Amino acid sequence: MTALAETNRATSRGQSLARLLRTLLPALSLVLVLLGIAWLNPRAISYLGFNLMLNLAVPIALATIAQMFVITINELDLSIGPFVGFVGCVTATWLRDTPLFGVAVLLGSIGVYAMLGALIHLRRLPSIVVTLGMSFVWQGAAILLLPKPGGKAPEWLLALMGLKPPFVPFPIIAAVLIALIAHYGLMRTSYGAVLRGAGGNPVAIGRSGWSLLKIKMVMFGLAGVFGVLSGMALIGTTTSADANIGNGYTLLSIAGVILGGGEFVGGRVSPIGAVIGALTLALAASPLLTFMHIPPDWQVGANGAILIIVLAARVLISRREVRT
Amino acid sequence: MNRVAALLAKPWIWSFLGAVIVFVATISFTGGVGAGGILTAALSLAIFSVIVGVGQMFVITLGPGNVDLSLPANIGLASAVAMKTMGGNDSMIFVGLLAALGTGIAVGTANYALIRALRIPPIIATLSSSFIILSIDISYGRGLQIKPPPGFADFANIQILGIPILAIVTLLFTILAGIALQRTLYGRSVLAIGQNMRAAWLAGIRVERVRFFTYVLSGALGGINGALLAGYFRGASVDIGNEYLLTSIAVVVIGGTSVAGGKANVPGVWGAALFLVLLLTMLNTFGVSPGIRLVLTGLIIVGVITVAGGQKVTR
């Protein structure tokens, strides 16, 4: 009897260890990438180095959070990249020249996102196709607005993104803030639990009286909000816009969510993990890699390799979780 | 009446209706001028979407989460491999095509290995592999002679009575694919897996073997498509396949194949590919700017899927 209890306790300890490892995995992979960079070029691990390497981390993290909201309810947003590009074009033109109109357009685009959620829910449409269509719409709108690269970021945005706080580089502070806010909202509030539940078991959530329509609209609307923030942060960093500037963000954001421990179905996501995943990808894609004996040809490949290694590690850990 | 109703119930009819409407709108705008030319051009471009669309259709039919995102990188790499192997030499055309096919099969095998061995969701597996393939292509394609041999370029552009020869070949291929889907053990297995993987497994279907073959098929079709594209456009390049990421998914879904898996049809891929190309032609004929063209394309895709309706409620 006691022996059995003993093994049971050992098993549960093994399981919780595996679970802990699984939760820590995104952070571990970030540390691994950092160690790799430190090994290749120790001077990169400095205030200036982080500022340069994490240059684009803030917009990528925001886009990843946007994608995470959509993935929470078992949908996928293939239009977030072009949407970020569209927001960037609005930011570099209207938001600077006619701020009121610019704000109205950005709010309107968030409204469009919420309406897409409603459309997808009411007509039971596959979100992949609807957002695929919308990716053309955002891209087209961006080209209409800014046929040639140009525009200029509003001064206040440049000032914000160019902040140089003491000791800790701005991108790191921003990433921590983003992670904490999203974590609090989605993981710590009761409505956040309902939102995640809508991904885990929509029927149960519906039966217990919550409006699934409203949930879809809220989640797509939140994706719109974070997409807007991402586009603005991007322009604050790059100072000018281009209609194609956000195109890579669709795949980066999906990869970031999954790297961060999120799953495609079941409402299992992790905002902190997603931000860490985005940071890992931003580091792996950073221009500094050029100075680190990684030829530019292989930079994209390095991204893919990191994804595969992290996911492979996760499988090893979750296999242990099942076996023990 | 019944026959009409039966026809309207076919999931692929909408894509053809869309293609016809768009075509009629175009030629009524030009006053009937150039109708034949428009059709020929549409056929020559549509076949590339059809070839990758069929591969993507089999993959998507496997069920939720199954999608091949590595097609654009695959097409780019295969086009470079094919052109390098051919080396501008007419006698090497067949070997070059085989090389492109081999590249595609290798990509498909790698994708499946990631999905199976690492248990990565297919969408992420093919995404990560596409990053690596892209890098291989960038470093491999540097400083290469990438022009196709004249014989191959000519072949890719031959027309018989205004019908491109590639379109005829593709039509024959899609007929075979349709038979494979509906009448062979393999096709029925793909459909069964898409409807319920566990039930299919319990029924004795070799699920993993079928999945393996499907990803390899998609890879192989991507490879062939890369070689043909390089021949048609008279040159290979890294981004030659870029547009086929969205297009391959769009033709499958607009063609009436269910994104939830388990329901597929080949004619719809043709209808949707023609619809998308003719739509582009129509907007070009109307002389709209690239921005408006993209916005309208997007709105029409959303509109078509909204009208044609999503999945029926099953429970």
Side-chain angles (χ1 to χ4, degrees):
Chain A
M1 270 313 270
T2 41
L4 193 68
E6 201 89 316
T7 26
N8 267 346
R9 206 173 302 147
T11 316
S12 74
R13 199 177 299 151
Q15 245 168 7
S16 62
L17 180 74
R19 204 167 295 154
L20 186 72
L21 265 178
R22 194 182 150 88
T23 325
L24 284 180
L25 192 67
L28 281 179
S29 47
L30 178 63
V31 170
L32 268 183
V33 172
L34 280 175
L35 284 179
I37 290 176
W39 180 62
L40 286 167
N41 188 347
R43 270 180 302 171
I45 309 297
S46 62
Y47 188 91
L48 186 69
F50 275 117
N51 248 345
L52 278 175
M53 285 192 296
L54 291 173
N55 201 359
L56 291 176
V58 179
I60 295 180
L62 287 164
T64 304
I65 293 291
Q67 184 71 262
M68 184 201 70
F69 284 123
V70 176
I71 289 182
T72 306
I73 43 169
N74 304 345
E75 309 282 0
L76 204 56
D77 183 4
L78 292 184
S79 66
I80 191 75
F83 180 65
V84 168
F86 167 74
V87 171
C89 289
V90 173
T91 307
T93 53
W94 287 335
L95 196 61
R96 178 187 172 85
D97 304 331
T98 47
L100 268 183
F101 182 61
V103 169
V105 169
L106 292 179
L107 288 179
S109 67
I110 294 173
V112 170
Y113 250 86
M115 294 316 291
L116 286 179
L119 179 72
I120 286 169
H121 178 73
L122 291 174
R123 295 284 298 152
R124 289 175 190 278
L125 302 178
S127 58
I128 293 187
V129 189
V130 175
T131 55
L132 187 76
M134 286 312 292
S135 72
F136 291 110
V137 174
W138 298 125
Q139 172 111 56
I143 291 178
L144 280 178
L145 191 55
L146 214 59
K148 286 191 193 109
K152 194 167 185 315
E155 299 301 336
W156 55 269
L157 193 57
L158 286 173
L160 176 68
M161 294 304 294
L163 274 183
K164 294 234 180 328
F167 308 120
V168 188
F170 175 70
I172 297 182
I173 296 178
V176 170
L177 270 180
I178 297 165
L180 287 181
I181 292 172
H183 179 80
Y184 179 78
L186 196 60
M187 313 303 276
R188 292 277 169 220
T189 63
S190 52
Y191 194 59
V194 172
L195 293 175
R196 282 181 289 131
N201 191 340
V203 178
I205 294 290
R207 293 255 163 88
S208 52
W210 298 95
S211 158
L212 284 174
L213 172 67
K214 194 179 146 204
I215 289 175
K216 294 248 162 170
M217 289 179 70
V218 166
M219 288 307 245
F220 271 86
L222 280 172
V225 170
F226 277 82
V228 165
L229 293 177
S230 170
M232 289 171 59
L234 180 60
I235 297 310
T237 315
T238 60
T239 70
S240 71
D242 166 4
N244 297 312
I245 199 165
N247 286 3
Y249 278 41
T250 303
L251 298 184
L252 271 181
S253 66
I254 300 175
V257 174
I258 302 303
L259 260 183
E263 280 169 27
F264 279 113
V265 285
R268 283 182 77 172
V269 294
S270 151
I272 295 181
V275 169
I276 293 178
L279 289 183
T280 313
L281 286 174
L283 276 180
S286 102
L288 254 202
L289 286 184
T290 346
F291 304 112
M292 293 182 182
H293 319 294
I294 296 184
D297 291 3
W298 291 96
Q299 273 182 25
V300 202
N303 251 331
I306 289 174
L307 260 178
I308 292 175
I309 293 169
V310 171
L311 291 168
R314 187 155 102 193
V315 169
L316 287 177
I317 290 171
S318 32
R319 237 179 235 170
R320 237 182 88 185
E321 204 173 337
V322 175
R323 212 178 283 156
T324 47
Chain B
M1 264 323 269
N2 268 340
R3 209 170 276 174
V4 175
L7 198 61
L8 280 179
K10 299 275 187 207
W12 45 262
I13 196 73
W14 299 100
S15 58
F16 280 99
L17 270 181
V20 170
I21 292 172
V22 171
F23 179 62
V24 170
T26 314
I27 55 168
S28 52
F29 182 81
T30 64
V33 181
I38 290 173
L39 273 185
T40 304
L43 273 177
S44 343
L45 282 177
I47 56 153
F48 300 112
S49 312
V50 170
I51 294 172
V52 282
V54 167
Q56 190 74 274
M57 182 196 77
F58 277 101
V59 171
I60 288 180
T61 305
L62 283 175
N66 282 290
V67 60
D68 187 352
L69 296 184
S70 68
L71 277 172
N74 179 6
I75 291 172
L77 180 63
S79 73
V81 169
M83 289 310 107
K84 193 186 180 189
T85 312
M86 291 180 191
N89 189 343
D90 275 349
S91 63
M92 293 294 282
I93 291 177
F94 186 66
V95 185
L97 281 175
L98 279 185
L101 189 66
T103 310
I105 289 176
V107 169
T109 310
N111 281 338
Y112 179 75
L114 288 176
I115 296 168
R116 176 78 174 134
L118 302 184
R119 307 228 188 123
I120 302 177
I123 197 167
I124 290 295
T126 52
L127 173 65
S128 347
S129 72
S130 81
F131 287 155
I132 294 179
I133 300 162
L134 188 63
S135 270
I136 296 176
D137 187 17
I138 294 174
S139 85
Y140 173 86
R142 185 151 295 177
L144 286 178
Q145 188 207 3
I146 47 165
K147 288 264 173 285
F152 185 57
D154 290 346
F155 171 76
N157 286 284
I158 291 179
Q159 295 168 5
I160 300 172
L161 300 172
I163 300 172
I165 192 156
L166 283 181
I168 299 170
V169 176
T170 310
L171 181 64
L172 291 177
F173 159 73
T174 46
I175 291 173
L176 287 179
I179 295 172
L181 176 71
Q182 301 292 354
R183 294 270 179 270
T184 66
L185 184 60
Y186 164 70
R188 304 302 293 183
S189 302
V190 170
L191 291 169
I193 292 171
Q195 279 157 23
N196 188 331
M197 190 151 146
R198 187 164 162 74
W201 182 73
L202 289 172
I205 292 174
R206 293 165 183 259
V207 173
E208 290 308 328
R209 189 178 293 183
V210 172
R211 294 219 299 165
F212 169 66
F213 188 73
T214 305
Y215 278 92
V216 169
L217 177 72
S218 174
L221 289 173
I224 285 293
N225 202 44
L228 294 178
L229 273 171
Y232 182 76
F233 289 110
R234 297 175 194 272
S237 71
V238 172
D239 49 11
I240 197 167
N242 276 6
E243 64 173 293
Y244 292 98
L245 175 63
L246 298 187
T247 310
S248 68
I249 301 175
V251 292
V252 171
V253 181
I254 295 176
T257 291
S258 160
V259 194
K263 249 189 291 174
N265 74 89
V266 177
V269 175
W270 265 106
L274 285 171
F275 168 66
L276 286 181
V277 175
L278 285 170
L279 180 65
L280 202 69
T281 317
M282 176 183 84
L283 296 175
N284 277 334
T285 317
F286 291 176
V288 299
S289 74
I292 300 204
R293 199 175 68 211
L294 279 167
V295 171
L296 287 176
T297 309
L299 288 179
I300 289 172
I301 289 179
V302 175
V304 165
I305 189 80
T306 307
V307 172
Q311 298 102 332
K312 299 281 173 289
V313 190
T314 45
R315 70 184 105 165

